[in-house]
Amino acid sequence: MPTFRADMIVAISSYVEWANVVVCLALAYRMLRIGLIPRYPALAVFLLMSPLLLAISQFLPRNTNLYAQVYFTLIPLQWGLYFALAYEAYRRVLEEHTGLASAGRWLVSAGMALSLAVTALSLTAELGAAHQRFPILLGIHTAERAIDTALTLLLAILLGFTLYFPVLLRRNSLLLVTGLTAFFLSKSLILLLRNLLGPETAQVFSLGNQLVNLAVVSVWMARLVRPESDRESGPRASVPREHAEQMLRQLGALNQVLLRGNGR
Amino acid sequence: MSALFANPVLVVAVTLCGTALLGILFLIHNHLRPARLRDSIDWKRVQAFRGDTYRPLVRLLSGNDYEFLRRLPGYEPAIANQLRRERRRIQRRFLNRLEMDFTQLHLVARTLVRDQEQDRPELVLALVRTGAEFRLNLFRIRLGLALEPLGLPALTPRPADSERLVDAAIWMQAQIKFLYAPAAVPVAG
């Protein structure tokens, strides 16, 4: 029974992996057609990287030095790409709000420091785990989990900032930032489980990762719109003059009343 | 595969945590949709706001009336206690209303900062600080009211607490004026 289940997961993983490639390539093509690539270049590279990784895993012989060399070269590149994606999300979120530009930069710096500190604390879970068969692989997955957690926290802080101010986001930018947060959050939790439960669960958690990737890219595929349509949903002045003037009169009245009451 | 079921509590806990966080993310996504944000300012409330409404709050927070009452012939502590109870109820209502009004006004101020053509980091920080101070002060007053029956002098709301609420409103008024008419000179906070 367990063998059957494992086989089934391998088969499903294979289908999901190919579905991922198809959806990623289709979205990259769609982005090219509707002119979204100049606005989201990191996302386009991310979408093209998925088929590349699949090709390597399918056509390079496993358990060879060549496979390991290619894998260890691509992994840091992928992590760099994750940071580029997060930076792209930050830029798209705050690009049209000049009044918040410096505050946004401070937020990212402070958010990065905070998320790194929280992530470092969370790594005690892996460091305290039982010894595993493949320590180098565990080290790589732990590093990846740390990066995913840090980026999740950073994007969550960015979302908190946009809620507080309240930043009006274009539809595509909102989809990008929430999609990336969901992506990194899911990956981070899946990797945490994989690291704690050991390499025997790698297959099932790899399937989980693939499903998350497929879900997020499918939502982007279905919901991203042309830049022209996106512009219509973008920020507009949202405090009409008559409302603001009335509000100022009322605030003035409030202050006078309170000052009189306070004897100032 | 069996390793997956070796620690079911961990798997269930992480899955539930992840589902809850994704649910929160979905709610944030819905809340951040432009159409929702444009509707989030309650203009009806902002327009219906009258400063006169809050005059009694400052008086209620000061202890002058109790001192006056104590000097009257036939004064009994029970009378002051009864008055305190009634006033606490009224004060809570005032504070709830003031909080709702301030929330809306602060939201308008944040919206104005957001829509500025120039980078205004000092205003962003000051706005965040004022909002936090207002909330903290409000919390302290509410805590003081809740614990007043225990007679802890350190926690009893004082006029100075209400003064801080006033300072927050003064600062906000000056900044909103400045933001809405950039030629005007802002009052130092």
Side-chain angles (χ1 to χ4, degrees):
Chain A
M1 191 70 178
T3 314
F4 169 69
R5 277 187 194 157
D7 288 352
M8 205 167 72
I9 286 167
V10 170
I12 295 171
S13 281
S14 176
Y15 287 126
V16 175
E17 228 166 355
W18 282 107
N20 249 321
V21 170
V22 170
V23 175
C24 283
L25 287 177
L27 179 56
Y29 177 67
R30 184 155 178 259
M31 284 176 69
L32 181 70
R33 269 194 59 194
I34 64 178
L36 280 180
I37 287 182
R39 273 185 69 75
Y40 304 102
L43 179 60
V45 175
F46 169 76
L47 293 170
L48 294 174
M49 192 133 178
S50 182
L52 183 69
L53 287 172
L54 180 71
I56 288 163
S57 70
Q58 292 288 316
F59 302 116
L60 276 184
R62 295 202 179 204
N63 302 322
T64 60
N65 283 342
L66 179 66
Y67 184 89
Q69 280 162 2
V70 172
Y71 180 77
F72 289 131
T73 310
L74 279 177
I75 284 290
L77 285 178
Q78 196 177 24
W79 296 344
L81 187 57
Y82 287 168
F83 279 101
L85 274 170
Y87 180 67
E88 189 164 276
Y90 153 76
R91 283 197 61 191
R92 292 288 89 90
V93 165
L94 293 175
E95 66 184 343
E96 283 161 298
H97 298 92
T98 323
L100 303 173
S102 288
R105 281 194 293 274
W106 294 346
L107 176 91
V108 168
S109 307
M112 186 59 93
L114 182 72
S115 55
L116 286 178
V118 173
T119 304
L121 278 177
S122 78
L123 285 178
T124 50
E126 272 100 336
L127 296 175
H131 181 73
Q132 292 185 8
R133 265 196 300 159
F134 309 110
I136 294 175
L137 207 56
L138 175 66
I140 287 174
H141 283 134
T142 304
E144 181 158 8
R145 209 272 295 166
I147 289 167
D148 291 339
T149 308
L151 290 176
T152 305
L153 291 170
L154 188 65
L155 289 171
I157 290 168
L158 182 64
L159 277 172
F161 184 78
T162 60
L163 270 179
Y164 184 77
F165 262 95
V167 173
L168 288 172
L169 294 176
R170 291 181 188 279
R171 178 194 168 108
N172 287 349
S173 305
L174 178 58
L175 278 168
L176 178 72
V177 71
T178 50
L180 283 177
T181 312
F183 175 73
F184 289 127
L185 170 68
S186 308
K187 265 181 82 79
S188 158
L189 292 176
I190 286 170
L191 279 170
L192 175 70
L193 280 178
R194 186 239 170 266
N195 292 345
L196 292 181
L197 295 175
E200 294 78 16
T201 57
Q203 196 64 251
V204 71
F205 288 124
S206 167
L207 173 64
N209 248 338
Q210 292 288 338
L211 284 170
V212 166
N213 202 64
L214 183 64
V216 171
V217 177
S218 300
V219 169
W220 282 337
M221 178 77 189
R223 309 286 295 174
L224 287 178
V225 293
R226 291 171 179 278
E228 306 88 76
S229 318
D230 198 21
R231 216 161 283 140
E232 286 166 18
S233 66
R236 292 171 196 160
S238 49
V239 181
R241 176 164 283 277
E242 67 274 16
H243 287 320
E245 282 170 355
Q246 172 134 11
M247 185 186 62
L248 289 175
R249 280 198 299 276
Q250 288 159 345
L251 271 170
L254 168 74
N255 291 336
Q256 281 170 10
V257 165
L258 291 178
L259 282 170
R260 276 204 303 274
N262 251 358
R264 283 168 58 155
Chain B
M1 279 300 287
S2 58
L4 187 62
F5 303 105
N7 196 344
V9 176
L10 176 72
V11 176
V12 170
V14 173
T15 309
L16 284 179
C17 179
T19 310
L21 290 173
L22 285 174
I24 293 170
L25 188 63
F26 180 73
L27 291 177
I28 291 174
H29 176 89
N30 271 348
H31 190 82
L32 278 172
R33 283 191 306 190
R36 286 288 300 272
L37 280 179
R38 279 190 202 108
D39 298 339
S40 63
I41 295 176
D42 183 357
W43 290 113
K44 215 171 173 180
R45 177 161 210 104
V46 171
Q47 285 180 320
F49 176 83
R50 293 285 176 272
D52 284 343
T53 320
Y54 297 102
R55 184 203 288 263
L57 174 66
V58 180
R59 190 187 166 128
L60 286 169
L61 283 171
S62 76
N64 295 346
D65 291 342
Y66 299 109
E67 285 169 23
F68 172 74
L69 196 63
R70 206 172 290 137
R71 288 199 298 270
L72 290 179
Y75 168 79
E76 282 179 31
I79 299 172
N81 288 342
Q82 170 74 20
L83 184 65
R84 277 200 182 88
R85 264 199 304 278
E86 285 173 10
R87 284 196 164 188
R88 275 200 297 275
R89 192 168 47 82
I90 299 165
Q91 283 161 359
R92 282 195 192 101
R93 284 188 185 176
F94 271 114
L95 288 173
N96 289 345
R97 281 193 61 177
L98 179 61
E99 185 188 18
M100 284 191 278
D101 286 341
F102 185 87
T103 301
Q104 284 299 317
L105 296 169
H106 195 245
L107 177 61
V108 173
R110 295 199 307 266
T111 308
L112 284 169
V113 172
R114 179 201 70 191
D115 293 342
Q116 287 296 293
E117 299 284 328
Q118 291 172 327
D119 192 8
R120 307 303 304 271
E122 76 293 347
L123 275 180
V124 172
L125 274 183
L127 205 54
V128 171
R129 198 183 58 230
T130 308
E133 280 172 2
F134 183 87
R135 298 271 166 208
L136 182 67
N137 201 29
L138 201 62
F139 172 75
R140 281 176 51 185
I141 293 174
R142 280 184 171 145
L143 184 69
L145 287 177
L147 299 178
E148 202 182 41
L150 300 178
L152 300 170
L155 291 170
T156 307
R158 297 188 184 95
D161 296 325
S162 64
E163 231 173 272
R164 288 195 197 101
L165 291 179
V166 177
D167 286 345
I170 291 169
W171 181 88
M172 207 168 66
Q173 181 202 27
Q175 296 309 323
I176 289 175
K177 269 184 180 165
F178 179 60
L179 289 168
Y180 210 71
V185 179
V187 176

